[in-house]
Amino acid sequence: MSASDPEARVQEYAAIEQIDVDTAHPLGYGQDGVVWKTSRSSAVKALERSETYFRELGCYQLLKAKGIHNLEGFAIPRLVKFHSELLIIEMDIVHPPFVVDFGKSHLSKPDYSEEAIQEWYNEHEEMWGDNWDNVWRLVRALRAKGIYYMDPNPRNIRLE
C-alpha cells in the first residue's frame, strides 16, 4: 500500500475498526487529505503527510481535552479515534455553521513577521467581506484556546 493512497489507507482503517466507509462519495477533499462518511455516522480523514496529520491531531486532542465542540456559534468536530500509522483521524460530522480542517493550524504561535501577519489578515478580510468579523472572532477564540488557525477559507469554515 502506498502512503499516498488515501483510499487504501482508509479501507485498512475500516477493516481494523469493523466499519464501512463510503469511499464513492467523499464529504470533502483538499491538498491535505480526503474525508469520507462511515457506517457509524462519523467521518474519517486520510491525511497526505505526517506533519499535517500530527498538527491536526494535536488540535483535535486539545479541543477534546478541553471539552470544546462549539466556539463562537461554530460547531467543531469531536475526535472519535485516530490511527497514526495510517494517518487517519476519525471525527463526528458537523453541520453549518462549522469549522473543520486543522491541518495548517499550530499549537504555538507561528514565528511570522508583522508584515506577513498583516498581509494574511488583509487577504482573509478581503476573502470574507462582510462575514470577516464573525470569522475573525472565531479565529481569535481558537487562539485563546491555544490553536493558531491559519486556514480560514470558505471550504473550512461554513457560515450556513
Side-chain angles (χ1 to χ4, degrees):
M1 172 185 60
S2 166
S4 66
D5 184 356
E7 190 171 330
R9 288 185 288 115
V10 82
Q11 290 295 3
E12 184 174 341
Y13 177 82
I16 292 167
E17 291 296 320
Q18 299 181 349
I19 58 175
D20 292 320
V21 176
D22 183 5
T23 55
H25 304 96
L27 292 175
Y29 56 90
Q31 70 184 80
D32 296 327
V34 184
V35 181
W36 295 280
K37 186 175 182 178
T38 75
S39 57
R40 60 179 165 211
S41 297
S42 62
V44 288
K45 182 173 185 177
L47 288 109
E48 292 292 332
R49 297 183 352 233
S50 61
E51 177 185 349
T52 307
Y53 167 81
F54 284 108
R55 272 201 307 246
E56 186 150 354
L57 178 61
C59 291
Y60 280 120
Q61 288 174 321
L62 176 68
L63 291 162
K64 184 174 184 169
K66 292 185 175 195
I68 299 169
H69 53 88
N70 192 298
L71 204 54
E72 295 295 323
F74 290 87
I76 301 170
R78 297 176 206 216
L79 178 64
V80 174
K81 291 189 171 199
F82 58 93
H83 194 293
S84 294
E85 189 176 310
L86 296 174
L87 306 180
I88 302 286
I89 296 175
E90 184 177 355
M91 64 203 87
D92 63 355
I93 295 173
V94 292
H95 302 283
F98 65 68
V99 57
V100 296
D101 195 352
F102 291 85
K104 292 179 178 67
S105 298
H106 301 272
L107 294 176
S108 59
K109 186 176 181 180
D111 187 23
Y112 298 135
S113 71
E114 287 301 318
E115 184 178 277
I117 291 169
Q118 188 61 51
E119 184 178 319
W120 177 92
Y121 182 91
N122 293 343
E123 176 184 308
H124 288 88
E125 182 179 35
E126 184 177 322
M127 176 191 303
W128 284 98
D130 292 341
N131 293 313
W132 178 239
D133 287 343
N134 290 332
V135 173
W136 181 236
R137 192 169 30 260
L138 170 65
V139 170
R140 285 193 327 258
L142 285 165
R143 285 183 186 173
K145 302 297 182 189
I147 296 173
Y148 292 83
Y149 193 84
M150 304 307 295
D151 197 17
N153 70 67
R155 286 184 326 273
N156 299 337
I157 297 175
R158 295 262 175 87
L159 301 171
E160 45 185 80

